[in-house]
Amino acid sequence: MKKYVALLLASLLLFAAIPALAQEVSCPAGGFTLTLPDSFSAVSPLPQDQDLVFAWQGGGISVQGYATAMSGKVRFNDLYQILTGQETESGSLTIRGVDMLYARGSDQRGPYSLYIWMHKNVRVELYFYYQSRSDLLDIDEMIHSLVLN
């Protein structure tokens, strides 16, 4: 019985510590919030790139978010994605009720996962650059934490 109680207490402490290992990061210009590991820190965007509104990095992953205001009523069917031939996969998907385009590939900065969606006439592009394939699990967890504001 004591082992059961000790195991239960250890489990509760573990689950209570897990939320402390993450931080919710909001991007008002893009209208979204993501949960990133505590090891991530904000990076100052380049001043000449006005559409870059979200820049964080940590643990071998960097996240860059671009928000571009679109004129007129824009729907998901109006989204486009420029493919360069360097992609290993691309398509559309829905994450937490948000329809988006995605692509995985590699460019001069390295391997990336890209997600594109519309929110209130703002086109949002979220790039995750990573170093190893094992980072894809972390990226998947981060993008599935997406909440639109």
Side-chain angles (χ1 to χ4, degrees):
M1 185 66 168
K2 287 182 181 179
K3 288 183 183 179
Y4 176 72
V5 170
L7 182 60
L8 182 61
L9 281 174
S11 297
L12 288 173
L13 287 173
L14 177 64
F15 285 117
I18 288 175
L21 301 176
Q23 57 184 323
E24 282 191 1
V25 180
S26 182
C27 178
F32 68 89
T33 299
L34 282 181
T35 301
L36 301 177
D38 274 347
S39 61
F40 276 59
S41 58
V43 178
S44 296
L46 299 173
Q48 67 268 23
D49 195 346
Q50 295 177 358
D51 288 341
L52 180 60
V53 295
F54 187 82
W56 289 75
Q57 66 182 19
I61 300 172
S62 70
V63 185
Q64 296 178 336
Y66 296 84
T68 307
M70 308 296 284
S71 61
K73 182 143 175 92
V74 182
R75 298 176 306 272
F76 175 75
N77 292 341
D78 297 326
L79 275 180
Y80 62 89
Q81 185 175 28
I82 298 173
L83 300 176
T84 63
Q86 302 298 320
E87 297 80 18
T88 56
E89 66 179 283
S90 64
S92 61
L93 53 84
T94 302
I95 294 179
R96 296 185 68 157
V98 180
D99 293 326
M100 57 181 69
L101 301 175
Y102 79 95
R104 286 202 176 101
S106 187
D107 62 17
Q108 68 275 10
R109 295 196 52 213
Y112 66 85
S113 289
L114 166 64
Y115 301 88
I116 304 170
W117 68 91
M118 289 297 301
H119 180 63
K120 297 181 181 176
N121 278 5
V122 174
R123 175 188 167 93
V124 180
E125 298 180 33
L126 201 57
Y127 286 85
F128 291 88
Y129 284 94
Y130 58 94
Q131 294 179 0
S132 70
R133 297 230 5 118
S134 64
D135 293 332
L136 289 173
L137 291 174
D138 294 330
I139 292 169
D140 190 57
E141 188 174 316
M142 286 181 250
I143 194 64
H144 277 86
S145 74
L146 176 73
V147 176
L148 297 183
N149 303 331

